[in-house]
Amino acid sequence: MEKPALPKGTRDFGPAEMAKRQFILTTIRTIFQKYGFQPLETPAMENLNTLEGKYGEEGSKLIYKIRSNKSLRARLSGEKIDALNSIYKFWLPQKSELGLRYDLTIPFARYVVMNRHEITLPFKRYQVQPVWRADRPQKGRYREFYQCDADVVGTDSLICEAEIILMIKEVMHKLNINKYSVKINHRGILNGIAEVIAAVGREGELFVAIDKLDKIGEPGVRKELIEKGFTSTQLDSLFALIGTKGNNREKLTALKTTFASSTTGLKGVHELTEVFDLLNHYRADDNHVEFDIALARGLSYYTGCIFEVKINDVAIGSVSGGGRYDNLTQAFGSKEQLSGVGISFGIDRLYDAMEELKLFPKETLSSSKVLVCHFDEATRAYALGLVTQLRAAGINSEIYPDVSKLKKQLDYANKKMIAFCLVVGEEEMKSGELTIKNMESGEQEKLTITTIIHKLTH
Amino acid sequence: MEKPALPKGTRDFGPAEMAKRQFILTTIRTIFQKYGFQPLETPAMENLNTLEGKYGEEGSKLIYKIRSNKSLRARLSGEKIDALNSIYKFWLPQKSELGLRYDLTIPFARYVVMNRHEITLPFKRYQVQPVWRADRPQKGRYREFYQCDADVVGTDSLICEAEIILMIKEVMHKLNINKYSVKINHRGILNGIAEVIAAVGREGELFVAIDKLDKIGEPGVRKELIEKGFTSTQLDSLFALIGTKGNNREKLTALKTTFASSTTGLKGVHELTEVFDLLNHYRADDNHVEFDIALARGLSYYTGCIFEVKINDVAIGSVSGGGRYDNLTQAFGSKEQLSGVGISFGIDRLYDAMEELKLFPKETLSSSKVLVCHFDEATRAYALGLVTQLRAAGINSEIYPDVSKLKKQLDYANKKMIAFCLVVGEEEMKSGELTIKNMESGEQEKLTITTIIHKLTH
């Protein structure tokens, strides 16, 4: 028999990984809910016509398609089946009508269109589900991975942008990540730059190149844009703009002058200024927030503010990103202009970064806090009552189910990283003074179950 | 443009459904963890050879297969492609090598085989994930639905069975379900019955029929078995046995005599007796637990105790079921005998039953507790500081993002079932005495933010 294996690009999450993933996901979910976002889940399978034409040519190739159950064979005549068999014997071809979820945005848009009359605007939803892409697997890139999105649609209030920044800061704080930056920019600023350097109509090329600044530096970006026909004068203006010095407020003030004659540029400056003002009204500051004139992610999609979050000191790309878009439901032919703004957290990258920086709290590692150990049928029977008392006090506990040597029971506790062992021998059973052993320090003392419960819960 | 739709047999879960589903799932997860079970997640996609041959002929047909990305066309010569095109023009056939998860047991078994050297036995895992079946959709049967399983493998201690009963009772209690029964039986009892009525070798037919007792009654079962060639004498003995009167202990005592010459029957009686003894050691009782001699679910799979949970007063099948099996990893050619016992909760049925019995607590309905309302830019700016204070106190809160009429803001709160509105006008802003309105009772009073926070958190 063949040894079982995992499909390429997929993963199992065992207890240790799951505990850490749940720590991240519970943190993010709790914060989303604190800000009034409500959960949504959509099916893994979508009709192919919901997905097709939504992700560009490259994206479409990466959609996993599901074989329908109606066999083609059932629809063909005998002669054609013979012909078919002569080509490819062991296989029944079928037409696909279903595909696997590729992201969370299109299913969200579909949900909004289908439930438009029941939804109260502004609609704040979050969604945490896996998506599937038939991509070439490589380090950090999987065929099945979780996305974790929050969006508000139906309002263009910049309060939503400010709250996205607040949520990001709260998530980072709760995950013990202290060194990071929330980069923010605005599509209007980018368009203003194109106007100022006389490159209107060529925003695409321009910002694809700028987006690589982090990776290839100014010389690399210059080279690429020169090859595309940009002039040195244009590039000098561009880099003068990008190089604007100062803190967030100072940069915005400087750009106000630069964009004196660019309506779109000024709109960007005004909106970003308002976002910073709003943060102050929330009694928050702009620590960690960095207005980055060269931030250009996914230009074609976003129409207002754009965000990206990077963690310092780790060679991991952005762990979160998002922005404002003009029309969520356009792809489904809706004529209503539903503007929205969203943020997405990359769980796998957050996980890798936290692992590298050793930021996971220790108590996430195991689920049981106490293992109750025993020596024979009699002490085991007595121990069951203790387990009940521990659990009633809300302490995750288990009893070693078989009558075994104490060493085996302690080994089990060590391997499962259970913090305490409660050992019940004949003597303990008589006196009611139980031996509790701290598995990390090795210390042990004799205490009553009441005292033990008090110690573990206070 | 076509209107978007959901694939048949699938569902979206909007905020209201999600809140209720999360209430159920969080309750079950918390209890699993309290009993020392640890989480596992496996990928939605499995290699087809992991799935095939594991679910019987009927089950195999219901596995969703994924089209691989390597086009068959790429592997065929020009001539064969022409032949293929002449058969079925608009479609590129592809061989499938992946399928969607059909249950949680086979992926669990695969995980155990693949990670056998890292796993500490006994291994207690729980798993809550969707599964997919290409079944004909009908009321209460979906093509995508969640399973929620907990299993212990690597021990045959009956402590596991007793803890399954305790977990079920705790889940029901925490879900506010008071009228239910946990039916328990044992494969040994069933085999013993076959021995006693001289039907050894015909257990399959016998217990498929008995399993229908609830639905078709004694006459129906008699008719079915007579047709299969059972004699009236056999059936009289059978129904005499099934009709054994008394409480759990009395029934077990009676069967001890009946099975005097059946080793397998006696084993069943002894094991069930031990399970009831263990419950007492846990300081629990057998309330809600019913030894049901006619319970026969999935006979071929289980080898020891079997369980089934039914809720009274609702026309919904069992909401949970499970039992002990002999060899989890056999299907993957493992020679190690890994005995285990598991329980599975049916989330959809629990949901439907709780909905019918109106058992969902009210506070599950909405995520925000407070909506902060305002009248203009100035009061909105002031209100932002209040939102920060509410959230810092752990109160899920939101602010209406746009400057709008108060009525619109209150409507939004009503539709989202937000419990309180905090209204901030010019006067409130000056005095610091804010208007808080209870959206259900309509009552309102003027209080400082400190008092409001105290009231909402105590």
Side-chain angles (χ1 to χ4, degrees), chain B residues 119-140:
Chain B
I119 283 172
T120 315
L121 293 182
F123 183 49
K124 301 171 87 167
R125 85 85 173 80
Y126 74 86
Q127 197 168 350
V128 182
Q129 291 192 279
V131 301
W132 295 268
R133 296 185 185 177
D135 218 339
R136 201 166 58 85
Q138 47 184 279
K139 193 182 177 304

PDB file of all heavy atoms in Angstrom, chain B residues 119-140:
ATOM      1  N   ILE B 119       3.854  11.786  17.557  1.00  0.00           N
ATOM      2  CA  ILE B 119       2.629  11.807  18.357  1.00  0.00           C
ATOM      3  C   ILE B 119       2.823  11.047  19.667  1.00  0.00           C
ATOM      4  O   ILE B 119       3.406   9.970  19.689  1.00  0.00           O
ATOM      5  CB  ILE B 119       1.469  11.182  17.540  1.00  0.00           C
ATOM      6  CG1 ILE B 119       0.986  12.190  16.501  1.00  0.00           C
ATOM      7  CG2 ILE B 119       0.330  10.748  18.448  1.00  0.00           C
ATOM      8  CD1 ILE B 119      -0.011  11.610  15.527  1.00  0.00           C
ATOM      9  N   THR B 120       2.343  11.643  20.767  1.00  0.00           N
ATOM     10  CA  THR B 120       2.364  10.969  22.066  1.00  0.00           C
ATOM     11  C   THR B 120       1.016  10.271  22.262  1.00  0.00           C
ATOM     12  O   THR B 120      -0.023  10.902  22.168  1.00  0.00           O
ATOM     13  CB  THR B 120       2.537  11.998  23.199  1.00  0.00           C
ATOM     14  OG1 THR B 120       3.563  12.919  22.824  1.00  0.00           O
ATOM     15  CG2 THR B 120       2.909  11.308  24.489  1.00  0.00           C
ATOM     16  N   LEU B 121       1.072   8.972  22.544  1.00  0.00           N
ATOM     17  CA  LEU B 121      -0.163   8.234  22.786  1.00  0.00           C
ATOM     18  C   LEU B 121      -0.468   8.240  24.285  1.00  0.00           C
ATOM     19  O   LEU B 121       0.450   8.237  25.085  1.00  0.00           O
ATOM     20  CB  LEU B 121      -0.036   6.793  22.291  1.00  0.00           C
ATOM     21  CG  LEU B 121       0.080   6.629  20.772  1.00  0.00           C
ATOM     22  CD1 LEU B 121       0.152   5.142  20.434  1.00  0.00           C
ATOM     23  CD2 LEU B 121      -1.052   7.291  20.029  1.00  0.00           C
ATOM     24  N   PRO B 122      -1.717   8.184  24.710  1.00  0.00           N
ATOM     25  CA  PRO B 122      -2.907   8.345  23.867  1.00  0.00           C
ATOM     26  C   PRO B 122      -3.002   9.759  23.278  1.00  0.00           C
ATOM     27  O   PRO B 122      -2.673  10.727  23.941  1.00  0.00           O
ATOM     28  CB  PRO B 122      -4.054   8.073  24.838  1.00  0.00           C
ATOM     29  CG  PRO B 122      -3.486   8.087  26.198  1.00  0.00           C
ATOM     30  CD  PRO B 122      -2.016   7.948  26.118  1.00  0.00           C
ATOM     31  N   PHE B 123      -3.456   9.815  22.040  1.00  0.00           N
ATOM     32  CA  PHE B 123      -3.546  11.087  21.322  1.00  0.00           C
ATOM     33  C   PHE B 123      -5.000  11.551  21.314  1.00  0.00           C
ATOM     34  O   PHE B 123      -5.879  10.861  20.827  1.00  0.00           O
ATOM     35  CB  PHE B 123      -3.027  10.895  19.894  1.00  0.00           C
ATOM     36  CG  PHE B 123      -2.994  12.165  19.062  1.00  0.00           C
ATOM     37  CD1 PHE B 123      -2.420  13.337  19.551  1.00  0.00           C
ATOM     38  CD2 PHE B 123      -3.531  12.179  17.774  1.00  0.00           C
ATOM     39  CE1 PHE B 123      -2.383  14.492  18.778  1.00  0.00           C
ATOM     40  CE2 PHE B 123      -3.488  13.336  16.993  1.00  0.00           C
ATOM     41  CZ  PHE B 123      -2.920  14.495  17.506  1.00  0.00           C
ATOM     42  N   LYS B 124      -5.226  12.715  21.897  1.00  0.00           N
ATOM     43  CA  LYS B 124      -6.587  13.262  21.988  1.00  0.00           C
ATOM     44  C   LYS B 124      -6.688  14.468  21.074  1.00  0.00           C
ATOM     45  O   LYS B 124      -6.086  15.500  21.373  1.00  0.00           O
ATOM     46  CB  LYS B 124      -6.877  13.705  23.428  1.00  0.00           C
ATOM     47  CG  LYS B 124      -6.763  12.596  24.466  1.00  0.00           C
ATOM     48  CD  LYS B 124      -6.838  13.130  25.898  1.00  0.00           C
ATOM     49  CE  LYS B 124      -8.278  13.222  26.375  1.00  0.00           C
ATOM     50  NZ  LYS B 124      -8.367  13.435  27.854  1.00  0.00           N
ATOM     51  N   ARG B 125      -7.433  14.346  19.997  1.00  0.00           N
ATOM     52  CA  ARG B 125      -7.528  15.495  19.103  1.00  0.00           C
ATOM     53  C   ARG B 125      -9.002  15.847  18.862  1.00  0.00           C
ATOM     54  O   ARG B 125      -9.854  14.989  18.852  1.00  0.00           O
ATOM     55  CB  ARG B 125      -6.810  15.244  17.771  1.00  0.00           C
ATOM     56  CG  ARG B 125      -7.602  14.527  16.671  1.00  0.00           C
ATOM     57  CD  ARG B 125      -8.441  15.485  15.850  1.00  0.00           C
ATOM     58  NE  ARG B 125      -9.085  14.869  14.683  1.00  0.00           N
ATOM     59  CZ  ARG B 125     -10.188  14.155  14.720  1.00  0.00           C
ATOM     60  NH1 ARG B 125     -10.783  13.895  15.852  1.00  0.00           N
ATOM     61  NH2 ARG B 125     -10.713  13.679  13.607  1.00  0.00           N
ATOM     62  N   TYR B 126      -9.249  17.139  18.652  1.00  0.00           N
ATOM     63  CA  TYR B 126     -10.556  17.533  18.127  1.00  0.00           C
ATOM     64  C   TYR B 126     -10.361  18.276  16.818  1.00  0.00           C
ATOM     65  O   TYR B 126      -9.274  18.795  16.535  1.00  0.00           O
ATOM     66  CB  TYR B 126     -11.374  18.348  19.136  1.00  0.00           C
ATOM     67  CG  TYR B 126     -10.935  19.779  19.361  1.00  0.00           C
ATOM     68  CD1 TYR B 126     -11.386  20.798  18.537  1.00  0.00           C
ATOM     69  CD2 TYR B 126     -10.101  20.117  20.411  1.00  0.00           C
ATOM     70  CE1 TYR B 126     -11.010  22.120  18.753  1.00  0.00           C
ATOM     71  CE2 TYR B 126      -9.724  21.422  20.635  1.00  0.00           C
ATOM     72  CZ  TYR B 126     -10.171  22.425  19.798  1.00  0.00           C
ATOM     73  OH  TYR B 126      -9.792  23.729  20.011  1.00  0.00           O
ATOM     74  N   GLN B 127     -11.394  18.285  16.007  1.00  0.00           N
ATOM     75  CA  GLN B 127     -11.279  18.855  14.665  1.00  0.00           C
ATOM     76  C   GLN B 127     -12.644  19.414  14.275  1.00  0.00           C
ATOM     77  O   GLN B 127     -13.653  18.718  14.379  1.00  0.00           O
ATOM     78  CB  GLN B 127     -10.825  17.745  13.702  1.00  0.00           C
ATOM     79  CG  GLN B 127     -10.280  18.218  12.380  1.00  0.00           C
ATOM     80  CD  GLN B 127      -9.584  17.116  11.577  1.00  0.00           C
ATOM     81  OE1 GLN B 127      -9.336  16.023  12.093  1.00  0.00           O
ATOM     82  NE2 GLN B 127      -9.286  17.386  10.322  1.00  0.00           N
ATOM     83  N   VAL B 128     -12.680  20.663  13.886  1.00  0.00           N
ATOM     84  CA  VAL B 128     -13.931  21.321  13.492  1.00  0.00           C
ATOM     85  C   VAL B 128     -13.705  21.936  12.127  1.00  0.00           C
ATOM     86  O   VAL B 128     -13.051  22.959  12.014  1.00  0.00           O
ATOM     87  CB  VAL B 128     -14.312  22.433  14.500  1.00  0.00           C
ATOM     88  CG1 VAL B 128     -15.639  23.074  14.118  1.00  0.00           C
ATOM     89  CG2 VAL B 128     -14.364  21.899  15.919  1.00  0.00           C
ATOM     90  N   GLN B 129     -14.182  21.276  11.096  1.00  0.00           N
ATOM     91  CA  GLN B 129     -13.939  21.779   9.741  1.00  0.00           C
ATOM     92  C   GLN B 129     -15.079  21.373   8.820  1.00  0.00           C
ATOM     93  O   GLN B 129     -15.789  20.410   9.094  1.00  0.00           O
ATOM     94  CB  GLN B 129     -12.620  21.191   9.208  1.00  0.00           C
ATOM     95  CG  GLN B 129     -11.378  21.724   9.909  1.00  0.00           C
ATOM     96  CD  GLN B 129     -10.110  21.341   9.170  1.00  0.00           C
ATOM     97  OE1 GLN B 129      -9.607  20.239   9.302  1.00  0.00           O
ATOM     98  NE2 GLN B 129      -9.584  22.271   8.381  1.00  0.00           N
ATOM     99  N   PRO B 130     -15.240  22.086   7.702  1.00  0.00           N
ATOM    100  CA  PRO B 130     -16.277  21.670   6.753  1.00  0.00           C
ATOM    101  C   PRO B 130     -15.861  20.422   5.981  1.00  0.00           C
ATOM    102  O   PRO B 130     -14.669  20.150   5.812  1.00  0.00           O
ATOM    103  CB  PRO B 130     -16.402  22.872   5.811  1.00  0.00           C
ATOM    104  CG  PRO B 130     -15.135  23.623   5.940  1.00  0.00           C
ATOM    105  CD  PRO B 130     -14.559  23.322   7.285  1.00  0.00           C
ATOM    106  N   VAL B 131     -16.852  19.659   5.529  1.00  0.00           N
ATOM    107  CA  VAL B 131     -16.625  18.532   4.615  1.00  0.00           C
ATOM    108  C   VAL B 131     -17.578  18.712   3.433  1.00  0.00           C
ATOM    109  O   VAL B 131     -18.528  19.484   3.509  1.00  0.00           O
ATOM    110  CB  VAL B 131     -16.857  17.174   5.295  1.00  0.00           C
ATOM    111  CG1 VAL B 131     -15.928  17.002   6.490  1.00  0.00           C
ATOM    112  CG2 VAL B 131     -18.305  17.016   5.727  1.00  0.00           C
ATOM    113  N   TRP B 132     -17.278  18.019   2.355  1.00  0.00           N
ATOM    114  CA  TRP B 132     -18.060  18.195   1.134  1.00  0.00           C
ATOM    115  C   TRP B 132     -18.551  16.856   0.595  1.00  0.00           C
ATOM    116  O   TRP B 132     -17.771  15.893   0.543  1.00  0.00           O
ATOM    117  CB  TRP B 132     -17.201  18.886   0.071  1.00  0.00           C
ATOM    118  CG  TRP B 132     -16.828  20.272   0.470  1.00  0.00           C
ATOM    119  CD1 TRP B 132     -17.512  21.415   0.177  1.00  0.00           C
ATOM    120  CD2 TRP B 132     -15.688  20.691   1.248  1.00  0.00           C
ATOM    121  NE1 TRP B 132     -16.882  22.506   0.739  1.00  0.00           N
ATOM    122  CE2 TRP B 132     -15.766  22.091   1.386  1.00  0.00           C
ATOM    123  CE3 TRP B 132     -14.618  20.016   1.850  1.00  0.00           C
ATOM    124  CZ2 TRP B 132     -14.820  22.834   2.088  1.00  0.00           C
ATOM    125  CZ3 TRP B 132     -13.675  20.750   2.562  1.00  0.00           C
ATOM    126  CH2 TRP B 132     -13.770  22.138   2.666  1.00  0.00           C
ATOM    127  N   ARG B 133     -19.795  16.784   0.212  1.00  0.00           N
ATOM    128  CA  ARG B 133     -20.354  15.575  -0.386  1.00  0.00           C
ATOM    129  C   ARG B 133     -21.267  15.925  -1.555  1.00  0.00           C
ATOM    130  O   ARG B 133     -22.174  16.741  -1.400  1.00  0.00           O
ATOM    131  CB  ARG B 133     -21.149  14.777   0.666  1.00  0.00           C
ATOM    132  CG  ARG B 133     -20.233  14.285   1.764  1.00  0.00           C
ATOM    133  CD  ARG B 133     -20.909  13.405   2.760  1.00  0.00           C
ATOM    134  NE  ARG B 133     -19.945  13.098   3.818  1.00  0.00           N
ATOM    135  CZ  ARG B 133     -20.226  12.382   4.890  1.00  0.00           C
ATOM    136  NH1 ARG B 133     -21.446  11.888   5.056  1.00  0.00           N
ATOM    137  NH2 ARG B 133     -19.295  12.149   5.792  1.00  0.00           N
ATOM    138  N   ALA B 134     -21.012  15.267  -2.685  1.00  0.00           N
ATOM    139  CA  ALA B 134     -21.772  15.557  -3.899  1.00  0.00           C
ATOM    140  C   ALA B 134     -23.111  14.832  -3.855  1.00  0.00           C
ATOM    141  O   ALA B 134     -23.473  14.092  -4.763  1.00  0.00           O
ATOM    142  CB  ALA B 134     -20.953  15.155  -5.131  1.00  0.00           C
ATOM    143  N   ASP B 135     -23.840  15.062  -2.801  1.00  0.00           N
ATOM    144  CA  ASP B 135     -25.107  14.386  -2.541  1.00  0.00           C
ATOM    145  C   ASP B 135     -26.246  15.208  -3.155  1.00  0.00           C
ATOM    146  O   ASP B 135     -26.067  16.378  -3.451  1.00  0.00           O
ATOM    147  CB  ASP B 135     -25.297  14.315  -1.019  1.00  0.00           C
ATOM    148  CG  ASP B 135     -25.923  12.994  -0.615  1.00  0.00           C
ATOM    149  OD1 ASP B 135     -26.556  12.352  -1.467  1.00  0.00           O
ATOM    150  OD2 ASP B 135     -25.762  12.626   0.561  1.00  0.00           O
ATOM    151  N   ARG B 136     -27.417  14.583  -3.288  1.00  0.00           N
ATOM    152  CA  ARG B 136     -28.582  15.339  -3.744  1.00  0.00           C
ATOM    153  C   ARG B 136     -29.025  16.223  -2.583  1.00  0.00           C
ATOM    154  O   ARG B 136     -29.333  15.727  -1.503  1.00  0.00           O
ATOM    155  CB  ARG B 136     -29.707  14.370  -4.148  1.00  0.00           C
ATOM    156  CG  ARG B 136     -30.747  14.963  -5.074  1.00  0.00           C
ATOM    157  CD  ARG B 136     -31.611  13.860  -5.683  1.00  0.00           C
ATOM    158  NE  ARG B 136     -32.263  13.067  -4.647  1.00  0.00           N
ATOM    159  CZ  ARG B 136     -33.434  13.406  -4.067  1.00  0.00           C
ATOM    160  NH1 ARG B 136     -34.070  14.498  -4.451  1.00  0.00           N
ATOM    161  NH2 ARG B 136     -33.965  12.646  -3.148  1.00  0.00           N
ATOM    162  N   PRO B 137     -29.024  17.570  -2.780  1.00  0.00           N
ATOM    163  CA  PRO B 137     -29.376  18.439  -1.652  1.00  0.00           C
ATOM    164  C   PRO B 137     -30.852  18.284  -1.284  1.00  0.00           C
ATOM    165  O   PRO B 137     -31.686  18.077  -2.152  1.00  0.00           O
ATOM    166  CB  PRO B 137     -29.124  19.855  -2.184  1.00  0.00           C
ATOM    167  CG  PRO B 137     -28.432  19.699  -3.490  1.00  0.00           C
ATOM    168  CD  PRO B 137     -28.752  18.337  -4.002  1.00  0.00           C
ATOM    169  N   GLN B 138     -31.180  18.318  -0.008  1.00  0.00           N
ATOM    170  CA  GLN B 138     -32.568  18.331   0.449  1.00  0.00           C
ATOM    171  C   GLN B 138     -32.600  18.976   1.825  1.00  0.00           C
ATOM    172  O   GLN B 138     -31.556  19.322   2.365  1.00  0.00           O
ATOM    173  CB  GLN B 138     -33.142  16.920   0.477  1.00  0.00           C
ATOM    174  CG  GLN B 138     -32.230  15.901   1.143  1.00  0.00           C
ATOM    175  CD  GLN B 138     -32.787  14.484   1.070  1.00  0.00           C
ATOM    176  OE1 GLN B 138     -33.634  14.123   1.859  1.00  0.00           O
ATOM    177  NE2 GLN B 138     -32.308  13.719   0.116  1.00  0.00           N
ATOM    178  N   LYS B 139     -33.792  19.127   2.353  1.00  0.00           N
ATOM    179  CA  LYS B 139     -33.948  19.813   3.644  1.00  0.00           C
ATOM    180  C   LYS B 139     -33.002  19.207   4.696  1.00  0.00           C
ATOM    181  O   LYS B 139     -33.035  18.005   4.952  1.00  0.00           O
ATOM    182  CB  LYS B 139     -35.386  19.685   4.121  1.00  0.00           C
ATOM    183  CG  LYS B 139     -35.696  20.623   5.275  1.00  0.00           C
ATOM    184  CD  LYS B 139     -37.102  20.457   5.783  1.00  0.00           C
ATOM    185  CE  LYS B 139     -37.369  21.349   6.994  1.00  0.00           C
ATOM    186  NZ  LYS B 139     -36.432  21.143   8.106  1.00  0.00           N
ATOM    187  N   GLY B 140     -32.146  20.012   5.254  1.00  0.00           N
ATOM    188  CA  GLY B 140     -31.245  19.540   6.293  1.00  0.00           C
ATOM    189  C   GLY B 140     -30.045  18.768   5.773  1.00  0.00           C
ATOM    190  O   GLY B 140     -29.204  18.342   6.544  1.00  0.00           O
TER     191      GLY B 140
END
